[in-house]
Amino acid sequence: MVLDVLSWVLLLAGAAFVVIGAFGMWRLPDFYTRLHPAGLTDTMGAGLILLGLLLQSEAGLVAIKLLIIAVFLLFTSPTTGHATARAALAAGLRPWQAKENRKEQGET
Amino acid sequence: MFTITAFAILVALGIALARAFAGPTVFDRILAVNSVGTKTVLLIAVLGFLTDRPEFLDIAIVYALINFIGVVAVLKYVKYGDVAHPGEDGSAG
């Protein structure tokens, strides 16, 4: 019974983080600022949801597969975030500046 | 419990897709599609538990692997204009 309540809390918290991350990706002004919520959903959202699922599954192959997914996401989401940011910087995408900084650099 | 989580992930998928369509630069789109990919992995895992099918988790693992490869391939295509490009120092032969 305790496991059900705990996994319920973890699942809903993970789902909340996923929605917050998606909403952050919609609201934030610039590509580089959107990297943060994208990473947020991958690490926190996925972590809590997979942990919630882990509690629901009996300790067998299912749990091992869940751990494989969690570990894999743990490694690849920072990698893709880093690679995307590097590619964007190499392509000359300049980070978004506050209004007064933009005036200094003479941008629009 | 699983249905609520699945609906929340679907809402997040919708928002991420909206960002993918609206994203001004191509990197916003890559970021959004990558986010859609990881959310789909979570959705498959949750649906696997919802319908008591443990084999869905295999699909989720494969989807996570392919999503990562796909994003890196698209990034290389965007950067070099060609996926088969040998890279800066020609090491990726």
Coordinates of all heavy atoms in Angstrom, one line a residue, chain B:
Chain B
M1 N -3.7 6.3 -12.2 CA -2.4 6.9 -11.9 C -1.6 6.9 -13.1 O -1.0 7.9 -13.5 CB -1.7 5.9 -10.8 CG -0.3 6.2 -10.5 SD 0.3 5.4 -9.1 CE 0.0 3.7 -9.6
F2 N -1.5 5.7 -13.8 CA -0.8 5.7 -15.1 C -1.5 6.6 -16.1 O -0.8 7.2 -16.9 CB -0.6 4.3 -15.6 CG 0.2 3.4 -14.7 CD1 -0.3 2.2 -14.2 CD2 1.4 3.9 -14.3 CE1 0.5 1.4 -13.4 CE2 2.2 3.1 -13.4 CZ 1.7 1.9 -13.0
T3 N -2.8 6.6 -16.1 CA -3.5 7.4 -17.1 C -3.2 8.8 -17.0 O -3.0 9.6 -17.9 CB -5.0 7.1 -17.0 OG1 -5.4 7.2 -15.6 CG2 -5.4 5.8 -17.5
I4 N -3.2 9.3 -15.7 CA -2.9 10.7 -15.5 C -1.5 11.1 -16.0 O -1.3 12.1 -16.7 CB -3.1 11.1 -14.0 CG1 -4.5 10.9 -13.6 CG2 -2.6 12.5 -13.7 CD1 -4.7 11.0 -12.1
T5 N -0.6 10.2 -15.7 CA 0.8 10.5 -16.1 C 0.9 10.5 -17.6 O 1.5 11.3 -18.3 CB 1.7 9.4 -15.6 OG1 1.4 9.1 -14.2 CG2 3.2 9.7 -15.7
A6 N 0.1 9.5 -18.3 CA 0.2 9.4 -19.7 C -0.5 10.7 -20.3 O 0.1 11.3 -21.3 CB -0.6 8.2 -20.2
F7 N -1.6 11.2 -19.7 CA -2.2 12.4 -20.3 C -1.2 13.6 -20.1 O -1.1 14.4 -21.0 CB -3.5 12.7 -19.5 CG -4.7 12.0 -20.2 CD1 -5.5 11.2 -19.4 CD2 -4.9 12.2 -21.5 CE1 -6.5 10.5 -20.0 CE2 -6.0 11.5 -22.1 CZ -6.8 10.7 -21.4
A8 N -0.5 13.7 -18.9 CA 0.4 14.8 -18.7 C 1.5 14.7 -19.8 O 1.9 15.8 -20.3 CB 1.0 14.7 -17.3
I9 N 2.0 13.5 -20.1 CA 3.1 13.4 -21.1 C 2.5 13.8 -22.4 O 3.2 14.5 -23.2 CB 3.7 12.0 -21.1 CG1 4.3 11.7 -19.7 CG2 4.6 11.8 -22.2 CD1 4.9 10.3 -19.6
L10 N 1.3 13.4 -22.7 CA 0.7 13.8 -24.0 C 0.6 15.3 -24.1 O 0.9 15.9 -25.2 CB -0.7 13.2 -24.1 CG -0.7 11.8 -24.6 CD1 -2.1 11.2 -24.6 CD2 -0.1 11.6 -26.0
V11 N 0.2 16.0 -23.0 CA 0.1 17.5 -23.1 C 1.5 18.0 -23.3 O 1.7 18.9 -24.2 CB -0.4 18.0 -21.7 CG1 -0.2 19.5 -21.6 CG2 -1.9 17.7 -21.6
A12 N 2.5 17.5 -22.6 CA 3.9 18.0 -22.8 C 4.3 17.7 -24.3 O 5.0 18.6 -24.9 CB 4.8 17.3 -21.8
L13 N 3.9 16.6 -24.8 CA 4.3 16.3 -26.2 C 3.7 17.3 -27.1 O 4.3 17.8 -28.1 CB 3.7 14.9 -26.6 CG 4.7 13.7 -26.4 CD1 3.9 12.4 -26.6 CD2 5.8 13.8 -27.4
G14 N 2.4 17.7 -26.9 CA 1.8 18.7 -27.7 C 2.5 20.0 -27.7 O 2.8 20.7 -28.7
I15 N 2.9 20.5 -26.4 CA 3.7 21.7 -26.3 C 5.0 21.6 -27.0 O 5.4 22.5 -27.8 CB 3.9 22.1 -24.8 CG1 2.5 22.2 -24.1 CG2 4.7 23.3 -24.7 CD1 2.6 22.4 -22.6
A16 N 5.7 20.5 -26.9 CA 7.0 20.4 -27.5 C 6.8 20.4 -29.0 O 7.6 21.0 -29.8 CB 7.7 19.1 -27.1
L17 N 5.8 19.7 -29.5 CA 5.5 19.8 -31.0 C 5.3 21.2 -31.4 O 5.7 21.6 -32.5 CB 4.4 18.8 -31.3 CG 4.7 17.4 -31.6 CD1 3.5 16.6 -31.9 CD2 5.7 17.3 -32.7
A18 N 4.5 21.9 -30.6 CA 4.2 23.3 -31.0 C 5.5 24.1 -31.1 O 5.8 24.8 -32.1 CB 3.3 24.0 -29.9
R19 N 6.5 23.8 -30.1 CA 7.8 24.5 -30.2 C 8.5 24.0 -31.5 O 9.1 24.8 -32.2 CB 8.6 24.2 -29.0 CG 10.0 24.5 -29.0 CD 10.3 25.9 -29.5 NE 9.7 26.9 -28.7 CZ 9.5 28.2 -29.1 NH1 9.9 28.5 -30.3 NH2 8.9 29.1 -28.4
A20 N 8.3 22.7 -31.8 CA 9.1 22.2 -33.0 C 8.5 23.0 -34.3 O 9.3 23.4 -35.1 CB 8.8 20.7 -33.2
F21 N 7.2 23.2 -34.4 CA 6.7 23.9 -35.5 C 7.0 25.4 -35.5 O 7.4 26.0 -36.5 CB 5.2 23.7 -35.6 CG 4.8 22.3 -36.1 CD1 4.0 21.5 -35.3 CD2 5.2 21.9 -37.3 CE1 3.7 20.3 -35.7 CE2 4.9 20.6 -37.7 CZ 4.1 19.8 -36.9
A22 N 7.0 26.0 -34.3 CA 7.2 27.4 -34.2 C 8.6 27.8 -34.2 O 9.0 28.9 -34.5 CB 6.4 28.0 -33.0
G23 N 9.5 26.9 -33.8 CA 10.9 27.2 -33.5 C 11.5 28.0 -34.6 O 11.5 27.6 -35.7
P24 N 12.0 29.3 -34.3 CA 12.6 30.0 -35.4 C 13.8 29.4 -36.1 O 13.9 29.2 -37.3 CB 12.9 31.4 -34.8 CG 12.9 31.1 -33.3 CD 12.0 30.0 -33.1
T25 N 14.8 29.0 -35.2 CA 16.0 28.4 -35.8 C 15.9 26.9 -35.9 O 15.0 26.3 -35.2 CB 17.2 28.7 -34.9 OG1 16.9 28.0 -33.6 CG2 17.3 30.2 -34.6
V26 N 16.7 26.3 -36.7 CA 16.7 24.9 -36.9 C 17.0 24.1 -35.6 O 16.6 23.0 -35.4 CB 17.6 24.5 -38.1 CG1 19.0 24.6 -37.7 CG2 17.3 23.1 -38.5
F27 N 17.9 24.8 -34.8 CA 18.3 24.2 -33.5 C 17.2 24.1 -32.5 O 17.1 23.1 -31.7 CB 19.5 24.9 -33.0 CG 20.6 24.9 -33.9 CD1 21.0 26.0 -34.6 CD2 21.4 23.8 -34.1 CE1 22.0 26.0 -35.5 CE2 22.4 23.7 -35.0 CZ 22.7 24.9 -35.7
D28 N 16.2 25.1 -32.6 CA 15.0 24.9 -31.7 C 14.3 23.6 -32.1 O 13.8 22.9 -31.3 CB 14.1 26.1 -31.9 CG 14.8 27.4 -31.3 OD1 15.2 27.3 -30.2 OD2 14.9 28.3 -32.1
R29 N 14.2 23.4 -33.4 CA 13.4 22.3 -33.9 C 14.1 21.0 -33.5 O 13.5 20.0 -33.0 CB 13.3 22.3 -35.4 CG 12.4 23.5 -35.8 CD 11.9 23.4 -37.3 NE 10.9 24.3 -37.5 CZ 11.1 25.6 -38.0 NH1 12.4 25.9 -38.2 NH2 10.1 26.4 -38.2
I30 N 15.5 21.0 -33.6 CA 16.2 19.7 -33.2 C 16.0 19.5 -31.7 O 15.7 18.4 -31.3 CB 17.7 19.9 -33.5 CG1 17.9 20.0 -35.0 CG2 18.5 18.8 -32.9 CD1 19.3 20.3 -35.4
L31 N 16.1 20.6 -30.9 CA 15.9 20.4 -29.5 C 14.5 19.9 -29.2 O 14.3 19.0 -28.4 CB 16.1 21.8 -28.8 CG 16.1 21.9 -27.3 CD1 17.4 21.2 -26.8 CD2 16.0 23.3 -26.9
A32 N 13.5 20.5 -29.9 CA 12.1 20.1 -29.6 C 11.9 18.6 -30.0 O 11.3 17.8 -29.3 CB 11.1 21.0 -30.4
V33 N 12.5 18.2 -31.2 CA 12.3 16.8 -31.6 C 13.0 15.9 -30.6 O 12.5 14.8 -30.3 CB 12.8 16.7 -33.0 CG1 12.9 15.2 -33.4 CG2 11.9 17.4 -34.0
N34 N 14.1 16.3 -30.2 CA 14.8 15.4 -29.2 C 14.0 15.3 -27.9 O 13.8 14.2 -27.4 CB 16.2 16.1 -28.8 CG 16.9 15.3 -27.7 OD1 16.7 14.1 -27.6 ND2 17.6 16.1 -26.9
S35 N 13.3 16.4 -27.5 CA 12.5 16.4 -26.3 C 11.3 15.5 -26.6 O 10.9 14.7 -25.7 CB 12.1 17.8 -26.0 OG 11.3 17.7 -24.8
V36 N 10.7 15.6 -27.8 CA 9.6 14.7 -28.1 C 10.0 13.3 -28.0 O 9.3 12.4 -27.5 CB 9.1 15.1 -29.5 CG1 8.2 14.0 -30.1 CG2 8.3 16.4 -29.5
G37 N 11.2 13.0 -28.5 CA 11.7 11.6 -28.5 C 11.8 11.0 -27.1 O 11.2 10.0 -26.7
T38 N 12.4 11.8 -26.1 CA 12.5 11.3 -24.8 C 11.1 11.2 -24.1 O 10.8 10.2 -23.4 CB 13.4 12.2 -23.9 OG1 12.9 13.5 -24.1 CG2 14.8 12.1 -24.4
K39 N 10.2 12.1 -24.5 CA 8.9 12.0 -23.9 C 8.2 10.8 -24.4 O 7.4 10.1 -23.7 CB 8.1 13.3 -24.2 CG 8.6 14.5 -23.4 CD 7.6 15.7 -23.7 CE 8.1 16.8 -22.9 NZ 9.3 17.5 -23.4
T40 N 8.4 10.4 -25.7 CA 7.8 9.3 -26.2 C 8.3 8.0 -25.5 O 7.5 7.1 -25.3 CB 8.1 9.2 -27.7 OG1 7.9 10.4 -28.3 CG2 7.2 8.1 -28.4
V41 N 9.6 8.0 -25.2 CA 10.1 6.9 -24.4 C 9.4 6.7 -23.1 O 8.9 5.6 -22.8 CB 11.6 7.1 -24.2 CG1 12.2 6.1 -23.1 CG2 12.4 7.0 -25.4
L42 N 9.2 7.8 -22.4 CA 8.4 7.8 -21.2 C 7.0 7.3 -21.4 O 6.4 6.5 -20.6 CB 8.4 9.1 -20.5 CG 9.8 9.6 -20.0 CD1 9.7 11.0 -19.5 CD2 10.4 8.7 -19.0
L43 N 6.4 7.8 -22.5 CA 5.0 7.5 -22.8 C 4.9 6.0 -23.0 O 4.0 5.3 -22.5 CB 4.5 8.2 -24.0 CG 3.0 8.1 -24.3 CD1 2.2 8.8 -23.1 CD2 2.7 8.8 -25.6
I44 N 5.8 5.4 -23.8 CA 5.8 4.0 -24.0 C 5.9 3.2 -22.8 O 5.2 2.2 -22.5 CB 6.9 3.6 -25.1 CG1 6.6 4.3 -26.4 CG2 6.9 2.1 -25.2 CD1 7.8 4.1 -27.4
A45 N 6.9 3.6 -21.9 CA 7.1 2.9 -20.6 C 5.8 3.0 -19.8 O 5.3 1.9 -19.3 CB 8.2 3.5 -19.9
V46 N 5.2 4.1 -19.7 CA 4.0 4.3 -18.9 C 2.8 3.4 -19.4 O 2.1 2.7 -18.7 CB 3.6 5.8 -18.7 CG1 2.2 5.9 -18.1 CG2 4.6 6.5 -17.9
L47 N 2.7 3.5 -20.8 CA 1.6 2.7 -21.4 C 1.9 1.2 -21.2 O 0.9 0.4 -21.1 CB 1.5 3.0 -22.9 CG 0.9 4.4 -23.2 CD1 0.8 4.6 -24.7 CD2 -0.5 4.5 -22.6
G48 N 3.2 0.8 -21.2 CA 3.5 -0.6 -21.0 C 3.0 -1.0 -19.6 O 2.4 -2.1 -19.4
F49 N 3.1 -0.1 -18.6 CA 2.6 -0.5 -17.3 C 1.1 -0.4 -17.2 O 0.4 -1.1 -16.5 CB 3.2 0.5 -16.2 CG 4.5 -0.1 -15.7 CD1 5.7 0.1 -16.4 CD2 4.6 -0.8 -14.5 CE1 6.9 -0.4 -16.0 CE2 5.8 -1.3 -14.1 CZ 6.9 -1.1 -14.8
L50 N 0.5 0.6 -18.0 CA -0.9 0.8 -18.0 C -1.6 -0.5 -18.5 O -2.6 -1.0 -17.9 CB -1.3 2.0 -18.8 CG -2.8 2.4 -18.9 CD1 -3.2 2.9 -17.5 CD2 -3.0 3.5 -19.9
T51 N -1.1 -1.1 -19.6 CA -1.8 -2.2 -20.2 C -1.1 -3.5 -19.8 O -1.3 -4.5 -20.5 CB -1.8 -2.1 -21.7 OG1 -0.4 -1.9 -22.1 CG2 -2.5 -0.8 -22.1
D52 N -0.3 -3.5 -18.7 CA 0.3 -4.7 -18.2 C 1.1 -5.5 -19.3 O 0.9 -6.7 -19.4 CB -0.7 -5.6 -17.6 CG -0.9 -5.2 -16.2 OD1 0.0 -4.5 -15.7 OD2 -2.0 -5.5 -15.6
R53 N 1.8 -4.8 -20.1 CA 2.6 -5.4 -21.2 C 4.1 -5.1 -20.9 O 4.5 -4.0 -21.3 CB 2.3 -5.0 -22.6 CG 0.9 -5.5 -23.1 CD 1.0 -5.6 -24.6 NE -0.4 -5.8 -25.2 CZ -1.1 -4.7 -25.6 NH1 -0.6 -3.5 -25.5 NH2 -2.2 -4.9 -26.1
P54 N 4.8 -5.9 -20.2 CA 6.2 -5.6 -19.9 C 7.1 -5.5 -21.1 O 8.2 -4.8 -21.0 CB 6.7 -6.7 -18.9 CG 5.7 -7.8 -19.1 CD 4.4 -7.2 -19.6
E55 N 6.7 -6.1 -22.2 CA 7.6 -6.0 -23.4 C 7.7 -4.6 -24.0 O 8.5 -4.3 -24.8 CB 7.2 -7.0 -24.5 CG 5.8 -6.9 -24.9 CD 4.8 -7.7 -24.0 OE1 5.2 -8.2 -23.0 OE2 3.6 -7.8 -24.4
F56 N 6.7 -3.7 -23.6 CA 6.8 -2.3 -24.1 C 8.2 -1.7 -23.7 O 8.6 -0.8 -24.4 CB 5.7 -1.5 -23.5 CG 4.4 -1.5 -24.4 CD1 4.2 -2.6 -25.2 CD2 3.6 -0.4 -24.4 CE1 3.0 -2.6 -26.0 CE2 2.4 -0.5 -25.2 CZ 2.2 -1.6 -26.0
L57 N 8.7 -2.2 -22.6 CA 10.0 -1.5 -22.1 C 11.1 -1.8 -23.1 O 12.0 -0.9 -23.3 CB 10.3 -2.0 -20.8 CG 9.4 -1.6 -19.6 CD1 9.9 -2.1 -18.3 CD2 9.4 0.0 -19.6
D58 N 11.1 -2.9 -23.8 CA 12.1 -3.2 -24.9 C 12.0 -2.1 -25.9 O 12.9 -1.5 -26.4 CB 11.9 -4.5 -25.5 CG 11.9 -5.6 -24.4 OD1 12.4 -5.3 -23.4 OD2 11.3 -6.7 -24.6
I59 N 10.7 -1.8 -26.3 CA 10.5 -0.8 -27.3 C 11.0 0.5 -26.8 O 11.6 1.3 -27.6 CB 9.0 -0.7 -27.7 CG1 8.4 -2.1 -28.2 CG2 8.7 0.4 -28.7 CD1 6.9 -2.1 -28.3
A60 N 10.8 0.8 -25.6 CA 11.2 2.1 -25.0 C 12.7 2.2 -25.1 O 13.3 3.2 -25.5 CB 10.7 2.3 -23.6
I61 N 13.4 1.1 -24.8 CA 14.9 1.1 -24.8 C 15.4 1.4 -26.2 O 16.2 2.3 -26.5 CB 15.5 -0.2 -24.3 CG1 15.2 -0.4 -22.8 CG2 16.9 -0.3 -24.6 CD1 15.6 -1.7 -22.3
V62 N 14.8 0.7 -27.2 CA 15.2 0.8 -28.6 C 14.9 2.3 -29.0 O 15.7 2.9 -29.7 CB 14.5 -0.2 -29.5 CG1 14.7 0.1 -30.9 CG2 15.0 -1.6 -29.1
Y63 N 13.8 2.8 -28.6 CA 13.4 4.1 -29.0 C 14.4 5.2 -28.5 O 14.8 6.1 -29.2 CB 12.0 4.4 -28.6 CG 11.3 5.5 -29.4 CD1 10.5 5.2 -30.5 CD2 11.6 6.9 -29.1 CE1 10.0 6.2 -31.2 CE2 11.0 7.9 -29.8 CZ 10.2 7.6 -30.9 OH 9.7 8.5 -31.6
A64 N 14.8 4.9 -27.2 CA 15.8 5.9 -26.7 C 17.1 5.8 -27.4 O 17.7 6.9 -27.8 CB 16.0 5.6 -25.2
L65 N 17.5 4.6 -27.8 CA 18.8 4.5 -28.5 C 18.7 5.2 -29.9 O 19.5 6.1 -30.2 CB 19.1 3.0 -28.8 CG 19.4 2.2 -27.5 CD1 19.4 0.7 -27.9 CD2 20.8 2.5 -27.0
I66 N 17.6 4.9 -30.6 CA 17.5 5.5 -32.0 C 17.3 7.0 -31.9 O 17.8 7.8 -32.7 CB 16.3 4.8 -32.7 CG1 16.7 3.3 -32.9 CG2 16.0 5.5 -34.0 CD1 15.6 2.6 -33.6
N67 N 16.6 7.5 -30.9 CA 16.4 8.9 -30.7 C 17.7 9.6 -30.6 O 18.0 10.6 -31.3 CB 15.5 9.2 -29.5 CG 15.3 10.7 -29.3 OD1 15.1 11.4 -30.3 ND2 15.5 11.1 -28.1
F68 N 18.6 9.0 -29.8 CA 19.9 9.7 -29.6 C 20.7 9.7 -30.9 O 21.2 10.7 -31.3 CB 20.7 8.9 -28.5 CG 22.1 9.3 -28.4 CD1 22.4 10.6 -28.0 CD2 23.1 8.4 -28.6 CE1 23.7 11.0 -27.8 CE2 24.4 8.8 -28.5 CZ 24.7 10.1 -28.1
I69 N 20.7 8.5 -31.6 CA 21.5 8.4 -32.8 C 20.9 9.4 -33.8 O 21.7 10.2 -34.5 CB 21.4 7.0 -33.4 CG1 21.8 6.0 -32.4 CG2 22.2 6.9 -34.7 CD1 23.2 5.8 -32.2
G70 N 19.6 9.5 -33.9 CA 19.0 10.4 -34.9 C 19.3 11.9 -34.6 O 19.7 12.6 -35.6
V71 N 19.3 12.3 -33.4 CA 19.6 13.7 -33.1 C 21.1 14.0 -33.5 O 21.4 15.0 -34.1 CB 19.4 14.0 -31.6 CG1 20.0 15.3 -31.2 CG2 17.9 14.0 -31.3
V72 N 22.0 13.1 -33.1 CA 23.4 13.3 -33.5 C 23.6 13.4 -35.0 O 24.3 14.2 -35.5 CB 24.3 12.2 -32.8 CG1 25.7 12.4 -33.3 CG2 24.2 12.4 -31.3
A73 N 22.9 12.5 -35.7 CA 23.0 12.5 -37.2 C 22.5 13.8 -37.7 O 23.1 14.4 -38.6 CB 22.2 11.3 -37.7
V74 N 21.3 14.2 -37.2 CA 20.8 15.5 -37.8 C 21.7 16.6 -37.5 O 22.0 17.5 -38.3 CB 19.4 15.7 -37.2 CG1 18.9 17.2 -37.5 CG2 18.4 14.7 -37.7
L75 N 22.3 16.6 -36.3 CA 23.2 17.7 -35.9 C 24.4 17.7 -36.9 O 24.9 18.7 -37.4 CB 23.7 17.5 -34.5 CG 22.7 18.0 -33.4 CD1 23.2 17.7 -32.1 CD2 22.5 19.5 -33.6
K76 N 24.9 16.5 -37.2 CA 26.1 16.4 -38.1 C 25.7 16.9 -39.5 O 26.4 17.7 -40.1 CB 26.6 15.0 -38.2 CG 27.9 14.9 -39.0 CD 28.4 13.5 -39.1 CE 29.7 13.6 -40.0 NZ 30.2 12.2 -40.3
Y77 N 24.4 16.6 -39.9 CA 24.0 17.0 -41.2 C 23.9 18.5 -41.2 O 24.3 19.2 -42.2 CB 22.6 16.4 -41.5 CG 22.0 16.9 -42.8 CD1 22.6 16.4 -44.0 CD2 21.0 17.8 -42.8 CE1 22.1 16.9 -45.2 CE2 20.5 18.3 -44.0 CZ 21.0 17.8 -45.2 OH 20.5 18.3 -46.4
V78 N 23.3 19.1 -40.1 CA 23.1 20.6 -40.1 C 24.5 21.2 -40.1 O 24.7 22.2 -40.8 CB 22.3 21.0 -38.9 CG1 22.4 22.4 -38.6 CG2 20.9 20.6 -39.1
K79 N 25.5 20.7 -39.4 CA 26.8 21.3 -39.3 C 27.6 21.2 -40.5 O 28.2 22.2 -41.0 CB 27.5 20.7 -38.1 CG 28.8 21.4 -37.7 CD 29.4 20.9 -36.5 CE 30.6 21.7 -36.1 NZ 31.3 21.1 -34.9
Y80 N 27.6 20.0 -41.2 CA 28.5 19.9 -42.3 C 27.7 19.8 -43.6 O 28.3 19.7 -44.7 CB 29.3 18.6 -42.2 CG 30.2 18.6 -41.0 CD1 30.1 17.7 -40.0 CD2 31.2 19.5 -40.9 CE1 31.0 17.7 -38.9 CE2 32.1 19.6 -39.9 CZ 32.0 18.6 -38.9 OH 32.9 18.6 -37.8
G81 N 26.4 19.9 -43.6 CA 25.6 19.8 -44.8 C 25.6 18.5 -45.5 O 25.1 18.2 -46.5
D82 N 26.3 17.5 -44.7 CA 26.4 16.2 -45.3 C 26.7 15.2 -44.2 O 27.6 15.4 -43.5 CB 27.5 16.1 -46.4 CG 27.6 14.8 -47.0 OD1 26.7 13.9 -46.7 OD2 28.5 14.5 -47.7
V83 N 25.9 14.1 -44.1 CA 26.1 13.2 -43.0 C 27.4 12.4 -43.2 O 28.1 12.1 -42.3 CB 24.9 12.2 -42.8 CG1 25.1 11.3 -41.6 CG2 23.7 13.0 -42.7
A84 N 27.8 12.2 -44.4 CA 29.0 11.4 -44.7 C 30.3 12.2 -44.7 O 31.3 11.8 -45.1 CB 28.9 10.7 -46.1
H85 N 30.2 13.5 -44.2 CA 31.3 14.4 -44.2 C 32.4 13.8 -43.3 O 32.1 13.3 -42.2 CB 30.9 15.8 -43.7 CG 31.9 16.8 -43.9 ND1 33.0 17.0 -43.1 CD2 32.0 17.7 -44.9 CE1 33.7 18.0 -43.5 NE2 33.2 18.5 -44.7
P86 N 33.7 13.9 -43.7 CA 34.7 13.3 -42.9 C 35.0 14.0 -41.6 O 35.8 13.6 -40.8 CB 36.0 13.3 -43.8 CG 35.7 14.4 -44.8 CD 34.2 14.4 -45.0
G87 N 34.4 15.2 -41.3 CA 34.6 15.9 -40.1 C 35.9 16.8 -40.2 O 36.5 16.8 -41.2
E88 N 36.2 17.5 -39.1 CA 37.2 18.6 -39.2 C 38.6 17.9 -39.6 O 39.2 18.3 -40.6 CB 37.4 19.3 -37.8 CG 36.6 20.5 -37.7 CD 35.4 20.2 -36.8 OE1 35.5 19.2 -36.1 OE2 34.4 21.0 -36.7
D89 N 39.0 16.9 -38.8 CA 40.4 16.5 -39.0 C 40.4 15.2 -39.9 O 41.3 14.5 -40.0 CB 41.1 16.2 -37.7 CG 40.2 15.2 -36.9 OD1 39.1 14.8 -37.5 OD2 40.5 14.9 -35.8
G90 N 39.2 14.9 -40.5 CA 39.2 13.8 -41.4 C 39.3 12.5 -40.7 O 39.5 11.4 -41.3
S91 N 39.2 12.5 -39.3 CA 39.4 11.2 -38.6 C 38.2 10.4 -38.8 O 38.2 9.2 -38.9 CB 39.6 11.6 -37.1 OG 38.4 12.2 -36.7
A92 N 37.0 11.0 -38.8 CA 35.8 10.1 -38.9 C 35.7 9.6 -40.3 O 34.8 9.9 -41.1 CB 34.5 11.0 -38.6
G93 N 36.5 8.7 -40.7 CA 36.7 8.2 -42.1 C 35.6 7.4 -42.6 O 34.5 7.4 -42.1

